[in-house]
Amino acid sequence: MARSRPLDRAFYDRDTLTVAADLIGKVLVHRTKAGVTAGAIVETEAYIGESDPACHAAPGPTKRNAPLYGPPGVAYVYLNYGMHYLVNAVTEGEGSPAAVLIRALEPLEGLEVMSKRRGRARADVAGLCRGPGNLTKALGISLKQNQASLTAPPLSIEDWGVRPGKVVWGPRIGIRVGTDRPWRCWLAGHECVSGRRG
Protein backbone atom coordinates (compact mmCIF):
# COMPACT_ATOMS: atom_id res chain seq x y z
CA MET A 1 0.00 0.00 0.00
CA ALA A 2 1.31 3.45 -0.95
CA ARG A 3 2.43 5.56 1.95
CA SER A 4 3.47 9.15 2.54
CA ARG A 5 4.77 11.23 5.37
CA PRO A 6 2.53 12.02 8.33
CA LEU A 7 0.02 14.84 7.88
CA ASP A 8 1.54 18.19 8.77
CA ARG A 9 0.37 20.61 11.45
CA ALA A 10 -1.44 22.78 8.88
CA PHE A 11 -3.87 19.89 8.21
CA TYR A 12 -5.16 20.18 11.79
CA ASP A 13 -5.04 23.98 11.97
CA ARG A 14 -8.48 24.28 10.33
CA ASP A 15 -12.18 24.16 11.12
CA THR A 16 -12.78 21.06 13.26
CA LEU A 17 -15.70 19.71 11.22
CA THR A 18 -13.59 19.94 8.06
CA VAL A 19 -10.77 18.04 9.75
CA ALA A 20 -13.21 15.40 11.06
CA ALA A 21 -14.39 14.67 7.52
CA ASP A 22 -10.91 14.83 5.97
CA LEU A 23 -9.57 12.31 8.52
CA ILE A 24 -11.82 9.61 7.06
CA GLY A 25 -9.51 7.36 5.05
CA LYS A 26 -6.34 8.63 6.71
CA VAL A 27 -4.28 6.08 8.63
CA LEU A 28 -3.51 6.12 12.36
CA VAL A 29 -0.11 4.48 12.91
CA HIS A 30 1.63 3.50 16.16
CA ARG A 31 5.17 2.20 16.08
CA THR A 32 6.18 0.32 19.25
CA LYS A 33 8.64 -2.38 20.31
CA ALA A 34 5.86 -4.92 19.77
CA GLY A 35 5.60 -3.86 16.12
CA VAL A 36 3.81 -1.44 13.85
CA THR A 37 0.01 -1.29 14.07
CA ALA A 38 -2.09 0.82 11.72
CA GLY A 39 -5.69 1.32 10.64
CA ALA A 40 -7.64 3.53 8.27
CA ILE A 41 -9.96 5.94 10.08
CA VAL A 42 -13.62 5.17 9.27
CA GLU A 43 -15.42 7.11 12.03
CA THR A 44 -14.76 10.38 13.87
CA GLU A 45 -16.53 12.85 16.17
CA ALA A 46 -15.92 16.57 16.59
CA TYR A 47 -15.82 18.38 19.94
CA ILE A 48 -15.63 22.15 19.66
CA GLY A 49 -15.06 24.83 22.25
CA GLU A 50 -16.25 25.82 25.68
CA SER A 51 -19.83 26.25 24.39
CA ASP A 52 -20.04 22.55 23.49
CA PRO A 53 -21.36 20.81 26.64
CA ALA A 54 -19.82 17.49 25.58
CA CYS A 55 -16.36 18.96 24.99
CA HIS A 56 -13.83 18.65 27.80
CA ALA A 57 -13.23 22.39 27.41
CA ALA A 58 -16.78 23.19 28.60
CA PRO A 59 -15.65 24.04 32.17
CA GLY A 60 -12.77 26.16 30.89
CA PRO A 61 -9.03 25.42 31.07
CA THR A 62 -7.93 22.67 33.46
CA LYS A 63 -4.83 20.55 33.87
CA ARG A 64 -6.59 17.62 32.20
CA ASN A 65 -7.83 19.46 29.12
CA ALA A 66 -4.68 21.56 28.62
CA PRO A 67 -3.82 19.83 25.29
CA LEU A 68 -7.09 21.14 23.78
CA TYR A 69 -5.85 24.71 24.23
CA GLY A 70 -2.43 23.95 22.77
CA PRO A 71 -1.13 23.65 19.23
CA PRO A 72 -3.03 21.64 16.60
CA GLY A 73 -1.74 18.27 15.43
CA VAL A 74 -1.21 16.92 18.94
CA ALA A 75 -2.79 13.84 20.51
CA TYR A 76 -5.20 14.35 23.40
CA VAL A 77 -5.51 11.01 25.19
CA TYR A 78 -7.61 10.52 28.30
CA LEU A 79 -9.07 7.72 30.40
CA ASN A 80 -12.84 7.47 29.88
CA TYR A 81 -14.96 6.37 32.88
CA GLY A 82 -11.82 4.83 34.38
CA MET A 83 -11.94 2.05 31.79
CA HIS A 84 -10.84 2.97 28.26
CA TYR A 85 -8.26 5.29 26.76
CA LEU A 86 -9.59 7.52 23.97
CA VAL A 87 -7.41 9.31 21.41
CA ASN A 88 -8.24 12.66 19.83
CA ALA A 89 -6.48 14.89 17.31
CA VAL A 90 -6.32 18.51 18.53
CA THR A 91 -7.55 20.99 15.91
CA GLU A 92 -7.72 24.74 15.23
CA GLY A 93 -5.29 27.32 16.58
CA GLU A 94 -3.81 27.61 20.04
CA GLY A 95 -6.33 28.95 22.53
CA SER A 96 -9.29 27.55 20.54
CA PRO A 97 -10.05 24.28 22.33
CA ALA A 98 -11.29 21.65 19.89
CA ALA A 99 -10.46 18.12 18.82
CA VAL A 100 -11.59 15.16 16.75
CA LEU A 101 -12.19 11.85 18.52
CA ILE A 102 -11.06 8.83 16.50
CA ARG A 103 -13.95 6.37 16.93
CA ALA A 104 -13.11 3.43 14.64
CA LEU A 105 -10.45 2.06 12.30
CA GLU A 106 -10.22 -0.52 9.55
CA PRO A 107 -7.13 -2.56 10.54
CA LEU A 108 -4.40 -2.49 7.91
CA GLU A 109 -1.14 -3.56 9.53
CA GLY A 110 -0.08 -5.43 12.66
CA LEU A 111 -3.15 -7.64 12.90
CA GLU A 112 -1.39 -10.26 15.02
CA VAL A 113 -0.26 -7.64 17.53
CA MET A 114 -3.72 -6.06 17.61
CA SER A 115 -5.40 -9.42 18.14
CA LYS A 116 -3.06 -10.27 21.01
CA ARG A 117 -3.63 -6.93 22.72
CA ARG A 118 -7.40 -7.27 22.36
CA GLY A 119 -7.44 -10.97 23.31
CA ARG A 120 -9.53 -11.73 20.23
CA ALA A 121 -9.39 -14.26 17.43
CA ARG A 122 -7.24 -13.24 14.50
CA ALA A 123 -10.21 -13.82 12.19
CA ASP A 124 -12.26 -11.01 13.78
CA VAL A 125 -10.54 -8.26 11.81
CA ALA A 126 -13.58 -5.98 11.58
CA GLY A 127 -14.07 -5.92 15.35
CA LEU A 128 -10.47 -5.23 16.37
CA CYS A 129 -10.72 -1.43 16.20
CA ARG A 130 -14.49 -0.90 16.29
CA GLY A 131 -15.04 1.71 19.00
CA PRO A 132 -12.68 4.35 20.45
CA GLY A 133 -11.64 2.26 23.47
CA ASN A 134 -11.02 -0.85 21.40
CA LEU A 135 -8.80 0.90 18.87
CA THR A 136 -6.51 2.40 21.52
CA LYS A 137 -6.11 -1.01 23.13
CA ALA A 138 -5.38 -2.62 19.76
CA LEU A 139 -2.79 0.03 18.89
CA GLY A 140 -1.25 0.18 22.36
CA ILE A 141 -2.21 3.82 22.97
CA SER A 142 -2.39 5.04 26.58
CA LEU A 143 -1.81 8.20 28.62
CA LYS A 144 1.86 7.89 27.67
CA GLN A 145 0.89 9.24 24.25
CA ASN A 146 -1.04 12.23 25.62
CA GLN A 147 0.31 15.43 24.03
CA ALA A 148 2.43 13.47 21.56
CA SER A 149 2.80 15.07 18.14
CA LEU A 150 0.76 13.35 15.44
CA THR A 151 3.05 14.78 12.76
CA ALA A 152 5.93 12.35 13.36
CA PRO A 153 6.46 8.79 14.65
CA PRO A 154 5.93 6.91 16.87
CA LEU A 155 2.24 8.00 16.86
CA SER A 156 1.13 9.63 13.63
CA ILE A 157 -1.72 10.04 11.19
CA GLU A 158 -0.68 9.47 7.59
CA ASP A 159 -2.02 9.41 4.05
CA TRP A 160 -1.55 5.94 2.57
CA GLY A 161 -3.61 6.65 -0.51
CA VAL A 162 -6.79 5.13 0.92
CA ARG A 163 -9.77 6.64 -0.91
CA PRO A 164 -12.94 6.49 1.19
CA GLY A 165 -16.43 6.03 -0.19
CA LYS A 166 -19.51 7.97 0.89
CA VAL A 167 -19.03 9.95 4.09
CA VAL A 168 -22.14 10.76 6.16
CA TRP A 169 -22.93 12.80 9.27
CA GLY A 170 -25.19 12.25 12.27
CA PRO A 171 -25.54 12.87 16.02
CA ARG A 172 -22.66 12.03 18.33
CA ILE A 173 -23.04 8.85 20.38
CA GLY A 174 -21.85 7.53 23.75
CA ILE A 175 -22.38 10.89 25.47
CA ARG A 176 -25.12 12.30 27.71
CA VAL A 177 -25.10 15.96 26.61
CA GLY A 178 -24.71 17.69 23.28
CA THR A 179 -26.31 14.76 21.47
CA ASP A 180 -28.27 17.16 19.25
CA ARG A 181 -25.17 18.22 17.34
CA PRO A 182 -24.64 16.17 14.15
CA TRP A 183 -20.88 16.11 14.56
CA ARG A 184 -20.26 12.38 14.13
CA CYS A 185 -18.80 11.48 10.74
CA TRP A 186 -18.41 7.99 9.30
CA LEU A 187 -17.91 5.89 6.19
CA ALA A 188 -21.39 4.75 5.18
CA GLY A 189 -22.00 1.02 5.50
CA HIS A 190 -18.48 0.17 6.65
CA GLU A 191 -18.34 -2.92 8.88
CA CYS A 192 -15.79 -1.37 11.25
CA VAL A 193 -17.95 1.64 12.19
CA SER A 194 -18.98 1.49 15.86
CA GLY A 195 -22.45 3.01 15.70
CA ARG A 196 -25.18 3.29 13.10
CA ARG A 197 -23.60 2.66 9.70
CA GLY A 198 -26.26 3.81 7.25
Side-chain angles (χ1 to χ4, degrees):
M1 190 172 290
R3 304 183 190 187
S4 69
R5 295 179 180 177
L7 303 173
D8 61 20
R9 197 172 300 281
F11 176 91
Y12 303 96
D13 191 9
R14 301 181 294 155
D15 172 77
T16 303
L17 295 177
T18 300
V19 176
D22 288 351
L23 280 172
I24 301 296
K26 300 302 187 290
V27 180
L28 180 62
V29 185
H30 195 202
R31 295 169 173 86
T32 68
K33 291 181 180 179
V36 178
T37 49
I41 299 170
V42 297
E43 183 184 5
T44 62
E45 275 181 343
Y47 291 87
I48 308 171
E50 295 176 357
S51 62
D52 177 0
C55 181
H56 283 187
T62 65
K63 182 177 180 180
R64 182 195 192 199
N65 68 25
L68 291 175
Y69 290 85
V74 169
Y76 172 43
V77 183
Y78 60 87
L79 186 62
N80 193 45
Y81 299 124
M83 296 170 54
H84 306 291
Y85 297 110
L86 305 189
V87 61
N88 303 256
V90 176
T91 57
E92 305 193 18
E94 288 193 54
S96 297
V100 175
L101 171 66
I102 310 301
R103 282 201 60 90
L105 307 174
E106 175 187 352
L108 297 177
E109 187 170 325
L111 300 185
E112 295 290 349
V113 177
M114 291 184 190
S115 298
K116 184 176 181 180
R117 285 173 175 158
R118 288 288 323 280
R120 298 177 74 93
R122 169 69 167 76
D124 183 25
V125 175
L128 285 176
C129 300
R130 183 188 293 134
N134 290 333
L135 74 87
T136 55
K137 188 171 184 180
L139 269 66
I141 297 171
S142 68
L143 291 178
K144 293 179 181 179
Q145 283 71 49
N146 188 37
Q147 300 192 63
S149 173
L150 294 171
T151 64
L155 182 65
S156 57
I157 298 180
E158 307 175 5
D159 187 343
W160 286 16
V162 176
R163 294 294 167 251
K166 181 181 179 182
V167 174
V168 293
W169 291 87
R172 296 177 295 188
I173 58 177
I175 54 177
R176 299 188 180 97
V177 294
T179 55
D180 58 319
R181 305 186 188 200
W183 291 352
R184 173 174 165 254
C185 178
W186 69 95
L187 195 53
H190 200 288
E191 63 180 353
C192 295
V193 170
S194 65
R196 186 171 69 84
R197 302 171 195 174

